[in-house]
DNA sequence: GTCTATAGTACGATAGAC
DNA sequence: GTCTATCGTACTATAGAC
């Protein structure tokens, strides 16, 4: 493969998923991922911070969407969270859905990856809280709304992998379920 | 120091906190922690899975307390979570409170440690959910209650570090605040 | 693209408790 | 003697510096 073959990042993601699937995450070296993608280890580390990151790409974009969603939402905490989830929907493509189950399986089978996943979700929650604070929401209300939002995101993601369709719609329904449960706590 | 000096684990924890405080987490090697504790790297890894674990000890005990608390609680999700938090209180000693601020500062300054912290909290939540499912709570209700419980645990911990006293009381109040906020979502 | 530091593993040897 | 905590050493792989 040539030096300027396009989509280096995507090729790395696909190669990593394939290799993790074939031989397990622990038994796969970064150099091997790079090799299968027709690249070198150095190039890998130019695209991803570490070995795990290849499974968690696009987080910065999602954080930006969360901020934008909350900034443009109505003045009610869970309404802001809903706007954030809806804004995130643009990144939930068909290809992402196709890779989702394999990705989840790899993450579930490894502690390091579950750590990264937990931190990622905590980062989403923190960004939601910060954005809501800037909109004048009280800290406690913002924290509660954000945690419920993350729960809805998780549940919505799992459901979306199963049924497909528009992620925004699925997430909205998931959040409504979570809100109803929280109200009768 | 002799081979059988007592409290090896505690010595490692203290040495680690001191070194992380003096020179930062990244600039501290495991071998250095062991050396200051009068031990070797091998012994360190007999006590802790990895470099981070020295800041997160005692998790297994807490999981057991959560399970026991929920098993013996009344048949209402947030009541079960409250019982879990109260049961955890026995591990919140004065020494732990004394080390708390330094520990939090080290964790806040490092991504790897924040990952471990996030996974630890996710583990608590998962254990709460599983225990509640065994008590017949619906999955959604259990997940919501557990997330609210983890939020109360975080807020209660921060408050307990400030004001001290009985952790059970502080956590109970924190959970009541969180519940009130959730109900008017 | 090569090299270094170090996290983390594997395993046998050893020293003390019992 | 057994048991267990500790030690010593050799090893691999990752993160990152040069």
């Amino acid at each position: 493969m040539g030096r300027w073959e396009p989509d280096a990042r995507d090729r790395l993601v696909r190669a990593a998923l394939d290799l993790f699937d074939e031989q397990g995450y622990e038994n796969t070296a970064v150099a091997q991922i790079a090799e299968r993608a027709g690249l070198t280890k150095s190039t890998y580390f130019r695209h991803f911070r570490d070995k795990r990151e290849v499974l968690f790409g696009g987080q910065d974009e999602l954080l930006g969407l969360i901020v934008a969603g909350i900034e443009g939402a109505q003045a009610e905490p869970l309404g802001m969270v809903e706007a954030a989830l809806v804004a995130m929907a643009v990144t939930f493509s068909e290809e992402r859905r196709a890779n989702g189950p394999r990705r989840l399986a790899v993450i579930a089978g490894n502690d390091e990856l579950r750590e990264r996943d937990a931190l990622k979700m905590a980062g989403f929650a923190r960004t939601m809280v910060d954005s809501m604070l800037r909109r004048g929401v009280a800290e406690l209300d913002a924290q509660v709304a954000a945690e419920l939002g993350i729960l809805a995101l998780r549940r919505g993601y799992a459901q979306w992998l199963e049924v497909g369709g528009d992620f925004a719609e699925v997430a909205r329904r998931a959040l409504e379920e979570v809100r109803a449960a929280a109200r009768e706590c």
Side-chain angles (χ1 to χ4, degrees), chain A:
Chain A
M1 246 174 249
R3 182 179 280 202
W4 293 102
E5 208 71 28
D7 302 322
R9 194 186 170 94
D10 287 349
R11 293 211 315 275
L12 285 166
V13 171
R14 275 194 297 272
L17 262 179
D18 288 346
L19 285 164
F20 295 163
D21 211 23
E22 290 168 18
Q23 55 187 28
Y25 174 80
E26 285 95 343
N27 303 323
T28 303
V30 170
Q32 206 179 357
I33 300 170
E35 185 194 6
R36 180 168 296 200
L39 301 164
T40 66
K41 204 179 70 159
S42 299
T43 308
Y44 175 95
F45 282 111
R46 248 173 38 71
H47 287 278
F48 303 103
R49 261 185 273 289
D50 54 39
K51 184 177 168 186
R52 290 173 277 175
E53 185 77 3
V54 72
L55 287 165
F56 296 95
Q59 189 174 6
D60 289 348
E61 183 189 1
L62 284 169
L63 292 177
L65 291 168
I66 288 171
V67 171
I70 290 180
E71 276 173 358
Q74 293 177 322
E76 184 239 344
L78 266 194
M80 297 182 188
V81 168
E82 182 183 318
L85 297 185
V86 169
M88 293 167 88
V90 300
T91 70
F92 285 66
S93 64
E94 259 312 305
E95 193 201 344
R96 200 164 156 205
R97 182 167 166 246
N99 286 333
R102 268 201 309 173
R103 186 178 155 273
L104 278 188
V106 174
I107 292 172
N110 181 275
D111 266 1
E112 284 182 8
L113 296 174
R114 292 187 22 236
E115 282 190 353
R116 177 62 56 94
D117 188 56
L119 183 68
K120 182 181 158 190
M121 291 297 166
F124 290 162
R126 185 181 185 156
T127 297
M128 286 182 187
V129 168
D130 289 347
S131 297
M132 284 189 269
L133 290 179
R134 279 196 296 276
R135 296 262 341 241
V137 176
E139 186 170 42
L140 174 58
D141 294 334
Q143 288 177 342
V144 168
E147 291 304 330
L148 297 177
I150 296 306
L151 180 54
L153 176 62
R154 275 193 190 285
R155 291 175 59 93
Y157 180 62
Q159 210 181 340
W160 176 72
L161 288 186
E162 279 181 22
V163 304
D166 181 12
F167 178 76
E169 243 348 280
V170 177
R172 233 194 287 261
R173 274 204 309 275
L175 185 62
E176 207 41 61
E177 286 171 13
V178 168
R179 161 186 250 159
R183 274 182 165 155
E184 57 182 51
C185 250

